[in-house]
Amino acid sequence: MKLQLDERLLEHYDKVQDRIKRRLQEFKEVPKSEYFYEFCFCLCTPQSKAANALIVQKKLKELDFENKPFNPVDILATPENYIRFHNQKAKRIENAPKIFPEIMSILESEESNFDKRAKIHKLVNGFGLKEASHFMRNIGYEGLAILDRHILKNLVKLGVYPEVPNISTVKGYYAAETGFLAFAREVLIPIDELDLLFWSYENGEIIK
């Protein structure tokens, strides 16, 4: 049986397609000077609200954190932008300026997007394949699946998986990503657009 988007998602895609394409173009236009703070954003996002992580990102930028690092735990623990596991994440963010030059070297290499992601995932403590994909997508890299619960839930409903797949291992993540990429090819919508389609349908907004 041919897989396809259901009526609810097709209607939503008609409404938000232009916004999605515009947002993806904006990611491609992010200057390299902003990459570090996009990295910090993605260090914050696991099990925390994207809107809160965005506030943290802006505060770190305002304080020139990349050039004047400090322990940002108080920022992450602020109620208005609370980040879960803030003590642990603060340590990872504090370490970010030390490892980011190596991340930039990986990004500027001639390797494939998949190989770049794999190296970043291995380099960064606490950075799973999902977070590495998210970071790279936010600075304009294409074709990488950001497999969170919103994506997986929708793909189960659409028949891509019989049940929510286990993505806790690298092998499991790659297997689930392969299914998502095959579905994107079948419905003729790029995986990056599908990601924002599912996200906006679940949350009513397109952040990043």
Coordinates of all heavy atoms in Angstrom, one line a residue, residues 23 25-35 38 138-140:
R23 N 11.3 29.5 6.4 CA 12.1 29.2 7.6 C 13.3 28.4 7.3 O 14.4 28.7 7.8 CB 11.2 28.4 8.6 CG 11.8 28.4 10.0 CD 11.8 29.7 10.7 NE 12.4 29.8 12.0 CZ 13.6 30.3 12.2 NH1 14.4 30.7 11.2 NH2 14.1 30.3 13.4
Q25 N 14.9 28.4 4.5 CA 15.8 29.4 3.8 C 16.5 30.2 4.8 O 17.7 30.5 4.7 CB 15.1 30.2 2.8 CG 16.0 31.2 2.0 CD 17.0 30.5 1.2 OE1 16.8 29.4 0.7 NE2 18.2 31.1 1.2
E26 N 15.8 30.6 5.9 CA 16.5 31.4 6.9 C 17.6 30.7 7.6 O 18.6 31.2 8.0 CB 15.4 31.9 8.0 CG 14.4 32.9 7.4 CD 13.3 33.2 8.3 OE1 13.1 32.5 9.3 OE2 12.5 34.1 8.0
F27 N 17.4 29.4 7.8 CA 18.4 28.5 8.4 C 19.7 28.6 7.6 O 20.8 28.7 8.1 CB 18.0 27.1 8.6 CG 16.9 26.9 9.6 CD1 15.9 25.9 9.4 CD2 16.9 27.6 10.8 CE1 14.9 25.7 10.3 CE2 15.9 27.4 11.7 CZ 14.9 26.5 11.5
K28 N 19.5 28.5 6.3 CA 20.6 28.5 5.3 C 21.4 29.9 5.4 O 22.6 29.9 5.0 CB 20.2 28.2 3.9 CG 19.7 26.8 3.7 CD 19.2 26.6 2.3 CE 18.6 25.3 2.1 NZ 18.2 25.1 0.7
E29 N 20.7 30.9 5.8 CA 21.3 32.2 5.8 C 21.9 32.6 7.1 O 22.4 33.7 7.3 CB 20.2 33.3 5.4 CG 19.7 33.1 3.9 CD 18.5 33.9 3.6 OE1 18.0 34.7 4.5 OE2 18.1 33.8 2.4
V30 N 21.9 31.7 8.1 CA 22.5 32.0 9.4 C 24.0 32.2 9.2 O 24.6 31.3 8.6 CB 22.2 30.8 10.4 CG1 23.1 31.0 11.7 CG2 20.8 30.7 10.7
P31 N 24.5 33.3 9.6 CA 26.0 33.5 9.4 C 26.8 32.6 10.3 O 26.4 32.2 11.4 CB 26.2 35.0 9.8 CG 25.0 35.3 10.7 CD 23.9 34.5 10.3
K32 N 28.0 32.3 9.9 CA 28.9 31.5 10.7 C 29.1 32.0 12.1 O 29.4 31.3 13.1 CB 30.2 31.2 10.0 CG 30.1 30.3 8.8 CD 31.5 30.0 8.2 CE 31.3 29.1 7.0 NZ 32.7 28.7 6.4
S33 N 29.1 33.3 12.3 CA 29.3 34.0 13.6 C 28.2 33.6 14.6 O 28.4 33.8 15.8 CB 29.3 35.5 13.4 OG 28.1 36.0 12.8
E34 N 27.0 33.0 14.1 CA 25.9 32.6 14.9 C 25.9 31.1 15.2 O 25.1 30.7 16.1 CB 24.6 33.0 14.3 CG 24.4 34.5 14.0 CD 24.3 35.3 15.3 OE1 23.6 34.7 16.3 OE2 24.8 36.4 15.4
Y35 N 26.8 30.4 14.6 CA 26.7 28.9 14.7 C 26.9 28.5 16.2 O 26.3 27.6 16.7 CB 27.8 28.3 13.9 CG 27.6 28.2 12.4 CD1 26.5 28.9 11.8 CD2 28.4 27.5 11.5 CE1 26.3 28.9 10.4 CE2 28.2 27.4 10.2 CZ 27.1 28.1 9.6 OH 26.9 28.1 8.3
E38 N 23.8 28.8 18.1 CA 22.8 27.7 17.7 C 23.2 26.4 18.4 O 22.3 25.6 18.7 CB 22.8 27.6 16.2 CG 22.2 28.7 15.4 CD 20.7 28.9 15.7 OE1 20.1 28.0 16.1 OE2 20.3 30.1 15.4
N138 N 19.6 23.7 11.9 CA 19.4 25.1 12.2 C 20.4 26.0 11.6 O 20.3 27.2 11.7 CB 19.4 25.3 13.7 CG 18.1 24.8 14.4 OD1 17.2 24.3 13.7 ND2 18.1 24.9 15.7
I139 N 21.5 25.5 11.0 CA 22.5 26.3 10.3 C 22.5 25.9 8.8 O 23.5 26.2 8.1 CB 23.9 26.2 11.0 CG1 24.4 24.7 11.0 CG2 23.9 26.8 12.4 CD1 25.8 24.6 11.5
G140 N 21.4 25.3 8.4 CA 21.2 25.2 6.9 C 21.6 23.8 6.3 O 21.4 23.7 5.1

